Amino acid sequence: MAKRAYSPKEIAAIHIKELPLQGKWEAAFGCPGLYETWFIAGASASGKSSFVMQFAKMLCGIGSVLYLALEEGVGLSFQQRLKRFKMDEVQGRFRVVVDDSIEALKERLKRPKSPSFVIVDSFQYAGWDYASTKELIEEFPRKSFIFISQEYKGQPMGKAAVRLRYLSGVKIRTIGYRAYCEGRFVGEAASYYTIWEDGAIRVWNNL
């Protein structure tokens, strides 16, 4: 049986909650849906890890965040990043796990008061295939998943990551300590989020 066809008027009447971004976040990334899937990629030393932590802290002002630190764990560099961005200020809404499988994550998300936002760092270290990841997203339509991806020659590493990028509504790429939106939602023209001002000045002045 064919699925229902919607008219433009019916589509316009559907209420879709927006992620309430403000200031420099809204300028760079617009107002995507609250439950959109995010895909964040970038080369090594582009500011990706710092951007993700800043993004996580901002999200804590909206809802609770679960950070899967699968690639880095809770080693010294991760500890230093938590301190640099004063994540203790949002510790009531920010939790870190280092060894969750996709099945264990599903169990966490089924619990009452489970996190609103899930950051997977990184998709490659998680080792999840595309089909399982898509199933995870579809099973929890009222959660927002943020996938961090490694790159190889300027592209997401692995076929599964490439497919996941296409699936994601918000695509972010970090370049020279700036984060650019390349997805369906874009903020102001030619805008970007500056991750580290001094670093960005040095990089872009040398180009």
Side-chain angles (χ1 to χ4, degrees):
M1 181 181 293
K3 293 185 178 180
R4 176 185 175 186
Y6 292 89
S7 71
K9 184 177 181 180
E10 289 174 324
I11 294 173
I14 298 173
H15 177 65
I16 301 174
K17 290 185 178 180
E18 292 184 347
L19 184 66
L21 299 182
Q22 298 179 350
K24 58 185 179 181
W25 294 99
E26 182 182 4
F29 309 128
C31 292
L34 179 60
Y35 307 121
E36 276 293 344
T37 298
W38 292 60
F39 187 92
I40 302 173
S44 178
S46 64
K48 179 175 60 181
S49 295
S50 292
F51 171 73
V52 172
M53 195 61 71
Q54 292 175 57
F55 184 51
K57 186 172 184 180
M58 183 277 296
L59 289 177
C60 285
I62 301 171
S64 56
V65 175
L66 179 67
Y67 195 116
L68 275 64
L70 306 177
E71 180 172 334
E72 193 174 5
V74 289
L76 182 59
S77 61
F78 191 82
Q79 292 177 345
Q80 291 172 338
R81 203 172 307 121
L82 291 177
K83 183 177 181 180
R84 184 184 316 131
F85 296 111
K86 300 179 181 179
M87 297 302 289
D88 58 311
E89 296 176 349
V90 293
Q91 63 178 348
R93 289 193 163 194
F94 184 74
R95 289 290 183 269
V96 179
V97 296
V98 298
D99 59 356
D100 263 17
S101 64
I102 199 166
E103 292 78 16
L105 175 59
K106 287 182 178 182
E107 289 303 314
R108 288 182 185 274
L109 298 181
K110 290 175 182 177
R111 298 172 186 170
K113 298 182 179 179
S114 59
S116 302
F117 304 96
V118 180
I119 298 175
V120 181
D121 188 5
S122 64
F123 178 64
Q124 286 77 12
Y125 261 73
W128 303 343
D129 60 33
Y130 174 78
S132 297
T133 305
K134 184 172 183 288
E135 182 182 275
L136 170 70
I137 295 169
E138 292 173 346
E139 186 173 341
F140 298 95
R142 297 180 68 82
K143 305 292 183 184
S144 181
F145 294 91
I146 300 102
F147 295 96
I148 317 306
S149 175
Q150 299 173 358
E151 281 192 348
Y152 178 70
K153 294 184 177 181
Q155 296 297 321
M157 187 182 296
K159 292 181 179 179
V162 172
R163 294 185 68 187
L164 181 59
R165 184 181 186 278
Y166 278 107
L167 174 70
S168 302
V170 188
K171 305 167 180 64
I172 306 296
R173 188 155 187 255
T174 56
I175 308 171
Y177 300 106
R178 292 175 178 174
Y180 293 86
C181 186
E182 301 176 334
R184 301 169 193 150
F185 301 91
V186 181
E188 298 173 5
S191 62
Y192 52 80
Y193 178 89
T194 300
I195 302 164
W196 178 34
E197 188 71 41
D198 291 346
I201 290 172
R202 288 201 292 268
V203 169
W204 291 97
N205 283 350
N206 287 334
L207 292 179

